[in-house]
Amino acid sequence: MSIPSGAPVAVPRVPEAIHRRRWAILTVLMFSLLIVVLDNSILNVAVKTIASPSPTGIGATQSELEWAINSYTLVFAGLLFTAGLLGDRIGRKKVLLFGILVFGIGSGLAALSTSPAELITWRALMGFGAAFVMPATLAVLMNVFERDEQPKAIGIWAGSVGLGIAIGPITGGLLLEHFWWGSIFLVNVPVVIVALVAMVLLVPDSRDPKPGKVDPLGVVLSIVGLVLLVYGIIRGGELADFTDTTVLASTIGGLVVLAGFVWHEKRSSHPAIDISYFKKPAFSAAVAAIALVFFALMGVTFFSAFYLQSVRGYSALESGLLIVPLAAAQMIFAPRARLVVDRFGARAVCTVGMLLVAGGLAAFGLFDAGTPVWVMCLVFFVQGTGMAHIMPPVTVAVMQALPREKAGSGSAINNTFRQVGGALGVAVLGSVLSTVYRGDIEGHLSGVPAAARDVAGESIEATLGVAAKLGPAGKPLVAAANDAFISAMHVTALGSAAVALIGAVVVGLFLPGRLPAHVDGAKTRGAAGDEPVLEGKAAGR
């Protein structure tokens, strides 16, 4: 087919040798991402076991369990800016290899933890390593695929999250049935070794030819602000009092530091995050959607493990199998989301996706101790379907808004908002759950010895532990604990659904609608600083 004279023709930027093995490279990147996602999904299934007294677990309280999750996500989110910039500066393959190695070391140490404090510490180290993995995978993807194939590749990349969600709980359940709780972290080590070898052999290196400087002050401000804010929220849930001096001081201090972070970034000559990106409504709406959907979903994921195992009595493996419909929906629909976006536009697709997530979360407000399994599976499938039609379009919107050379920075922004949203979701919704539960169960603790009364009211696991020690006299307390937890879950689920509805409004107002079809199927590159790409046969492929 001849090319019309005067048509813009440019040689594709991806070298031919790399282009030929792009799908193999994507497989390696998905494998790397899988390790990070797998770890979090495994931990969600294991929270009940870790909360059990020694030798079954390490007797972690609900607050300690939240910190085992948040120590990872906060370090992860706080370092993503720097990790993305370093990848752009010194090479994405280098930081990817470094991150995977540190993640593997942290996993081995976490498996050997003998106390909640040790587990929290090593989880933070794992988060440090993961911070260098996540932005590098997406940045490499953007540099090995031409722009017209990026939506498809990002959809597959996002679908691997669903695979991790499916494999994690099942793997965790199998390990917990046959080995000690630390095996859920030790399993990462051989996976890390395989990933390192595959990366060395297949993944190309890339960097920004005009890199910016690292912004250490910005990184410090972001970490301090997030830690103070989330600590205040968790502490408020522990005390069932958000007006306590320590809670207010920590929360307000965190907000002030984060405000200082934004002020510094706007005035820095080498900011960790370019605030001007957020002047674009579509960009801001995309990152807001990422944060809001993970805020809502992560909080529910946290308490659903207790609902399935403590209230319903399912084993860790059975709980993992119940999550499969959510993962399956993501794996099925995420790689195909681009086709729906091409037909209906990102605004319509993401708005409907948000409404599906909100509906799935609201359904938890109707669950009780006897809800049929098929209903739970259907709800999880609806949630997964909604997620699959949100994450690929908004990720494409974020990544294609920036030049390819800034892929590390764009990936860092995308993943930071996801992790911060998830961390705050666990903290805020976990605190709501704890506060409501504590208020409902206190009236049923009159028969509990005074020394154990305060501990018994902290969480359902703590209450069931005290009830077990009381023998037959503890049976009424078990029933009261289940009722109190379900009541608290209903309140938390409705709060989660409300957050998802806010996300639906945001994407409905600010994401772009359906783009006009291009003549002869040509696609514009659109990102500032990104040259046009010749497609199809004209590209010589």
Side-chain angles (χ1 to χ4, degrees), residues 488-512:
M489 183 181 73
H490 289 169
V491 173
T492 309
L494 293 177
S496 303
V499 172
L501 286 175
I502 293 172
V505 173
V506 169
V507 298
L509 290 176
F510 298 109
L511 277 187

Side-chain angles (χ1 to χ4, degrees), residues 44-270:
N44 286 330
V45 172
V47 289
K48 181 178 183 294
T49 304
I50 296 173
S52 302
S54 180
T56 302
I58 51 177
T61 64
Q62 180 163 321
S63 174
E64 289 168 336
L65 288 172
E66 289 178 0
W67 272 108
I69 295 173
N70 283 331
S71 64
Y72 177 94
T73 52
L74 287 179
V75 173
F76 188 178
L79 291 176
L80 275 170
F81 296 136
T82 298
L85 290 173
L86 282 175
D88 288 344
R89 184 179 183 85
I90 67 175
R92 287 128 191 170
K93 180 177 182 177
K94 295 182 182 68
V95 299
L96 185 57
L97 290 169
F98 170 78
I100 286 288
L101 180 61
V102 172
F103 184 87
I105 293 172
S107 297
L109 293 171
L112 303 176
S113 300
T114 58
S115 69
E118 288 184 17
L119 178 60
I120 292 169
T121 300
W122 301 132
R123 285 279 297 165
L125 181 62
M126 293 170 67
F128 180 87
F132 291 85
V133 175
M134 186 72 85
T137 60
L138 192 51
V140 171
L141 181 154
M142 298 299 289
N143 279 272
V144 300
F145 284 90
E146 300 295 355
R147 189 177 179 85
D148 62 310
E149 283 191 321
Q150 286 171 3
K152 180 179 180 180
I154 288 174
I156 296 172
W157 179 86
S160 66
V161 174
L163 181 61
I165 293 173
I167 294 177
I170 297 172
T171 303
L174 288 170
L175 290 171
L176 291 172
E177 284 196 355
H178 297 93
F179 304 100
W180 96 113
W181 68 267
S183 61
I184 66 171
F185 298 112
L186 196 61
V187 72
N188 292 334
V189 176
V191 180
V192 163
I193 294 172
V194 174
L196 285 171
V197 174
M199 284 177 206
V200 170
L201 295 176
L202 288 174
V203 176
D205 207 355
S206 61
R207 68 182 72 186
D208 185 349
K210 297 179 181 179
K213 297 179 181 178
V214 176
D215 179 21
L217 178 58
V219 172
V220 171
L221 288 174
S222 65
I223 293 174
V224 172
L226 287 169
V227 170
L228 286 174
L229 177 62
V230 177
Y231 174 78
I233 294 168
I234 292 176
R235 184 63 177 162
E238 286 180 331
L239 299 175
D241 180 10
F242 285 88
T243 62
D244 182 82
T245 303
T246 58
V247 175
L248 288 175
S250 180
T251 304
I252 295 173
L255 292 173
V256 170
V257 173
L258 289 174
F261 167 73
V262 174
W263 182 87
H264 167 73
E265 295 302 294
K266 291 177 69 175
R267 286 157 180 78
S268 174
S269 61
H270 50 278

Side-chain angles (χ1 to χ4, degrees), residues 311-322:
V311 176
R312 300 300 299 267
Y314 294 121
S315 67
L317 177 58
E318 290 169 336
S319 298
L321 291 172
L322 285 172

Side-chain angles (χ1 to χ4, degrees), residues 452-473:
R453 194 169 299 163
D454 188 59
V455 174
E458 186 177 273
S459 67
I460 185 172
E461 277 304 304
T463 307
L464 294 178
V466 170
K469 293 178 181 178
L470 295 176

